[in-house]
Amino acid sequence: MNNLYISSHPLVSHKLTHIRDRRTKSRQFRELIREISALLTYEATADLNTTPRDIETPMAVTKGVELRENIGLVPILRAGLGMVEGIWWLMPNAEVWHIGLYRDEETLQPIEYYNKLPVEPTVSVCLILDPMLATGGSAVATVNILKDWGVNKIKFVGILGAPAGIQNLQTNHPDVPIHLAAIDDRLNDQGYIIPGLGDAGDRQFGTG
Ligand code: PRP
Ligand code: URA
């Protein structure tokens, strides 16, 4: 499928196995979310633009580069929050703009409850962060919000995706690359990813 990137890195696969394990407790679960997010973002940002810059080492003047783009991390509350720390470790200057959405339990439609984006965009690239791409409703709604805000270079960084959610996001926003650790089999009747890892928000925040 176009614009879909599934990491084949053994570190990601190893950590994914541990995060799926029902015996993994919140503290380790959060660590794994951070680590997997950093590894996936390393791969997802391989095409960021840079500007040449001369730099003086203690020995000589040489040529280097600097990131040209202003990067915004957009975690979808709650579960996307845990992804921020790992990515900040790679890109400490990234701005973080939170979007609060929850899924209605009956309809599975995303309900927006938090959005404090300023009127004018302050970044040129947005990475949407959410570990779970289930029906894709939350991801599609977030891309809509960011495009309305005026940002057009958008990537989705998640951990697990279901085929239905991937298709939904690709159909509505074919220009948005999707970066995941794995594609799972299906959704169950409650919209949970199978085999999945359970409820990513509850497992991070100990609220299950
Ligand atoms: C979960 C998850 C995603 C959404 C994915 O959030 O973190 O945001 O569901 O589902 P979708 O692809 O079908 O939209 P949830 O609504 O459980 O809220 P929470 O993160 O606050 O627990
Ligand atoms: N949200 C989750 O936290 N887990 C799923 O499997 C689906 C949506």
Side-chain angles (χ1 to χ4, degrees), residues 135-147:
T135 66
S138 305
V140 169
T142 305
V143 178
N144 289 339
I145 291 168
L146 295 178
K147 286 187 175 174

Side-chain angles (χ1 to χ4, degrees), residues 1-6 162-168 170 178 180 183:
M1 283 189 265
N2 282 343
N3 250 354
L4 176 62
Y5 303 92
I6 308 300
I166 293 167
Q167 196 178 359
N168 188 7
Q170 287 188 320
I178 303 173
L180 297 170
I183 305 179

